[in-house]
Amino acid sequence: MKSHMSFRPVSNFLSDQRGSLSIEFVLWLPAFAFLLLLAADSTMAFMRQSQMWQVSRETARIVSRYGMDELTAETYAATMATIGETVPTVDVGFANAEVSVAMTMPLASMAPFGVLGFLPSQNVSVTVTHAMEPL
């Protein structure tokens, strides 16, 4: 009985380059995927922080012109800056003829893939202060 298996010397395996590109691609794929997700999370977090700044500025501007009281302004800002199910914490206050709008939101709701979890602060906060208009 004769075996149909033929054994190749070890030197043939060492010089054979077929499949090496596929292996390199598989090894690098997680690193590239992580970089892509990091870029997507960072972009979404910056866009949503920008939205928080815009809502805070608009709220402070309206309140400084006596268009809303504190409670109405807090409700307005929270409604305008809500992302999905996450409602930001909003605090509107008056002091020394100035109105201050402070808004805080968890980073996890702003970055959908969760890649930014390594950052020390898990909340994003913005504060806008605007001078009250004279009566």
Side-chain angles (χ1 to χ4, degrees):
M1 185 171 211
K2 197 173 186 184
S3 174
H4 291 289
M5 290 178 45
S6 63
F7 293 101
R8 297 189 320 177
V10 175
S11 61
N12 286 349
F13 286 111
L14 295 177
S15 65
D16 190 5
Q17 295 293 317
R18 290 180 293 174
S20 64
L21 188 61
S22 299
I23 292 173
E24 288 178 16
F25 175 74
V26 169
L27 291 175
W28 280 103
L29 186 63
F32 289 133
F34 175 77
L35 290 175
L36 183 65
L37 292 176
L38 178 66
D41 259 4
S42 300
T43 301
M44 291 300 291
F46 281 123
M47 283 177 30
R48 290 178 173 164
Q49 182 189 29
S50 176
Q51 178 188 3
M52 289 173 60
W53 279 110
Q54 290 172 351
V55 170
S56 296
R57 279 193 306 266
E58 181 68 15
T59 304
R61 187 186 65 76
I62 292 171
V63 172
S64 72
R65 294 181 176 183
Y66 304 98
M68 288 189 239
D69 62 353
E70 286 180 62
L71 183 59
T72 307
E74 287 176 359
T75 305
Y76 169 77
T79 303
M80 296 301 290
T82 297
I83 298 171
E85 301 287 325
T86 307
V87 179
T89 304
V90 180
D91 182 37
V92 177
F94 297 101
N96 302 327
E98 291 180 340
V99 60
S100 178
V101 178
M103 192 178 300
T104 304
M105 185 174 284
L107 181 61
S109 66
M110 298 173 74
F113 299 112
V115 179
L116 297 177
F118 65 88
L119 294 175
S121 174
Q122 295 301 311
N123 290 319
V124 175
S125 300
V126 299
T127 303
V128 173
T129 303
H130 202 289
M132 296 294 290
E133 296 287 329
L135 288 175

